[in-house]
């Protein structure tokens, strides 16, 4: 039997994505073959499609770090999941999610309540795991605290806002003006980062600043300004480099250097970053299970920006490059339709 997979044959723009047809992969003894229903599309995918970064695969490779699907075949040593079960997983830095089938280690799979929409469930995987880890493991927020979320209309940003609301936080968030209605619907106070000085706005709105800033934008100026928006005792959590989209790869070393300098800065504030989400398997599984339960209970409601057929992955990347959408773009396979 054959399946389709989207391959990056060489680095470049969206048109380097090619659909290939090939034999189904066979699971090893500790692996499971999953028939994919939905795969997330992320800013990280765009970055490694166009640029060679340390620790990322060499072409040809398949993008896609988060999937939801149905267990299709289990390896000889696997007893934790059964054929027909719906599961979610982070695929790791090697990707592989833009496909109809994937083989993954059984330890990466977390059961998904079968009544959930696979496209909504896949939004929870990388975005909400990142948000939950940043908010609870790294920033260790407490009810009643004030937070500032940059890119709050984006996939991770909106996840942070929803989890912040659940945790009883007062939320401010930066977004383009056309996303402000959506930001307000998340329970956050919007700040237009294009026309307003967010440090000044935060001072005006809060007096002494916020307890935590979540910064997926990166770059020296941005991170120093995020740090300035903190009150004494506040925590800056840096976890992404969205600024590379306009400023290029130099944002990465600049962000790492800035994080190091901010850690040394006096002033009773902390500069932190998030851990690798899959390093601690027990925590990864427990957190993902908790988030899927919150979804099933209707306590979180991820916004699917657009559902795009897998074979139209080029269109999905063009949409991400253009921007101007809110929520997460999801690829769906024929099996989900
Ligand atoms: N460390 C991790 O484990 C991890 C995991 C997942 C993602 N990330 C990182 O998190 C970042 C965001 O990912 P995502 O999937 O949420 O992306 P996304 O859905 O594309 O959202 C990005 C958002 O950033 C906003 N934005 C762009 N420049 C901005 C600026 N200067 N100030 C404020 N907002 C700005 C855009 O808002 P408007 O459209 O409103 O302008 C957009 O909504 C990426 O850098 C990604 O690599 C890290």
């Amino acid at each position: 039997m054959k399946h389709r997979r989207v391959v990056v044959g060489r680095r470049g723009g969206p048109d380097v994505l090619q659909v290939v047809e090939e034999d189904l992969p066979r699971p090893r003894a500790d692996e499971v073959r999953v028939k994919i229903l939905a795969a997330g599309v992320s800013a990280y995918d765009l970055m490694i499609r166009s640029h060679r970064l340390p620790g990322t695969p060499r072409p040809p490779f398949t993008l896609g770090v988060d999937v939801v699907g149905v267990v299709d075949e289990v390896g000889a040593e696997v007893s934790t999941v059964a054929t027909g079960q719906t599961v979610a997983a982070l695929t790791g830095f090697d990707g592989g999610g833009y496909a109809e089938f994937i083989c993954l280690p059984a330890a990466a799979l977390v059961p998904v309540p079968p009544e959930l929409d696979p496209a909504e469930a896949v939004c929870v995987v990388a975005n909400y795991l990142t948000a939950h880890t940043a908010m609870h493991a790294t920033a260790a927020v407490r009810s009643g605290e004030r937070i500032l979320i940059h890119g709050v209309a984006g996939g991770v940003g909106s996840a942070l806002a929803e989890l912040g609301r659940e945790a009883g936080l007062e939320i401010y968030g930066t977004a383009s003006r056309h996303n402000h209605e959506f930001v307000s619907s998340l329970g956050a106070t919007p700040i237009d980062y294009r026309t307003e000085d967010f440090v000044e706005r935060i001072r005006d709105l809060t007096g002494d600043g916020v307890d935590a800033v979540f910064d997926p934008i990166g770059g020296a100026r941005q991170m120093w300004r995020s740090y300035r928006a903190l009150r004494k005792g506040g925590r800056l959590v840096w976890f992404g480099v969205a600024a590379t989209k306009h400023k290029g790869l130099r944002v990465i070393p600049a962000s790492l250097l800035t994080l190091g300098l901010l850690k040394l800065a006096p002033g009773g504030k902390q500069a932190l970053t998030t851990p690798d989400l899959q390093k601690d398997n027990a925590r990864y599984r427990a957190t993902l299970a908790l988030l899927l339960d919150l979804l099933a209970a209707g306590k979180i409601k991820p916004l699917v920006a657009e559902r795009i057929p897998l074979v139209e992955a080029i269109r999905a990347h063009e949409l991400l490059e253009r921007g101007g959408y809110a929520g997460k773009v999801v690829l769906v396979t024929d099996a989900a339709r």
Side-chain angles (χ1 to χ4, degrees):
M1 194 178 151
K2 303 271 184 195
H3 84 126
R4 288 175 294 182
R5 188 161 70 91
V6 180
V7 173
V8 176
R10 62 186 163 86
R11 295 190 202 277
D15 58 352
V16 301
L17 300 176
Q18 279 180 319
V19 179
V20 298
E21 202 171 274
E22 61 185 19
D23 291 339
L24 284 192
R26 296 300 312 271
R28 288 198 296 254
D30 62 341
E31 286 186 336
V32 171
R33 186 169 68 208
V34 176
K35 182 197 278 185
I36 296 175
L37 301 172
V41 180
S42 70
Y44 173 76
D45 298 345
L46 268 65
M47 198 155 70
I48 69 165
R49 186 206 68 215
S50 340
H51 303 289
R52 173 154 164 58
L53 295 173
T56 61
R58 284 167 186 267
F61 62 92
T62 291
L63 297 164
V65 297
D66 44 4
V67 294
V68 166
V70 176
V71 174
D72 176 64
E73 187 178 326
V74 295
E77 290 168 10
V78 176
S79 57
T80 46
V81 287
T83 310
Q85 201 173 355
T86 308
V87 290
L90 269 187
T91 63
F93 289 114
D94 286 345
Y98 292 16
E100 290 178 320
F101 287 85
I102 187 173
C103 289
L104 290 167
L109 305 180
V110 173
V112 174
E115 71 275 15
L116 289 182
D117 169 7
E120 285 191 2
V122 86
C123 293
V124 166
V125 184
N127 286 355
Y128 282 69
L129 258 182
T130 303
H132 193 281
T133 305
M135 184 161 275
H136 293 290
T138 309
V141 296
R142 291 175 295 270
S143 177
E145 285 193 321
R146 292 183 193 129
I147 62 167
L148 169 64
I149 302 166
H150 288 299
V152 67
V156 183
S158 52
L160 278 162
E162 285 213 303
L163 296 176
R165 200 180 55 209
E166 273 295 296
L169 308 180
E170 188 177 310
I171 307 167
Y172 302 89
T174 58
S176 294
R177 176 77 55 190
H178 63 89
N179 282 326
H180 282 199
E181 207 175 308
F182 171 58
V183 175
S184 302
S185 77
L186 293 168
T189 302
I191 298 173
D192 185 353
Y193 69 91
R194 293 175 190 268
T195 59
E196 295 178 293
D197 179 328
F198 70 79
V199 183
E200 271 177 30
R201 278 289 284 150
I202 286 293
R203 294 277 162 208
D204 290 348
L205 288 161
T206 65
D208 61 346
V210 291
D211 298 286
V213 178
F214 297 93
D215 193 332
I217 310 299
R221 182 164 184 273
Q222 165 80 13
M223 289 169 69
W224 277 103
R225 295 178 71 236
S226 290
Y227 192 80
R228 279 179 51 214
L230 291 170
R231 61 194 286 274
K232 199 161 186 232
R235 290 87 76 202
L236 166 64
V237 182
W238 166 66
F239 65 94
V241 285
T244 50
K245 190 169 169 185
H246 300 294
K247 296 186 178 162
L249 291 186
R250 66 193 159 91
V251 169
I252 299 174
S255 303
L256 289 167
L257 179 64
T258 306
L259 185 74
L261 292 172
L262 289 173
K263 279 182 184 292
L264 301 174
K269 304 176 186 180
Q270 287 176 273
L272 308 162
T273 192
T274 49
D276 176 348
L277 299 174
Q278 272 175 303
K279 209 166 185 184
D280 179 344
N281 185 259
R283 186 167 74 188
Y284 156 76
R285 297 173 59 79
T287 310
L288 187 47
L290 172 108
L291 291 165
L292 290 164
D293 284 348
L294 286 177
L295 179 63
K299 293 191 172 169
I300 54 176
K301 177 84 182 148
L303 179 64
V304 180
E306 201 170 326
R307 294 158 201 254
I308 296 183
L310 172 70
V311 293
E312 295 176 39
I314 290 180
R315 183 157 74 79
H317 277 225
E318 285 169 349
L319 174 60
L320 255 78
E321 298 219 326
R322 241 187 354 262
Y325 59 89
K328 185 164 173 96
V329 176
V330 176
L331 294 175
V332 288
T333 62
D334 290 349
R337 292 190 292 156

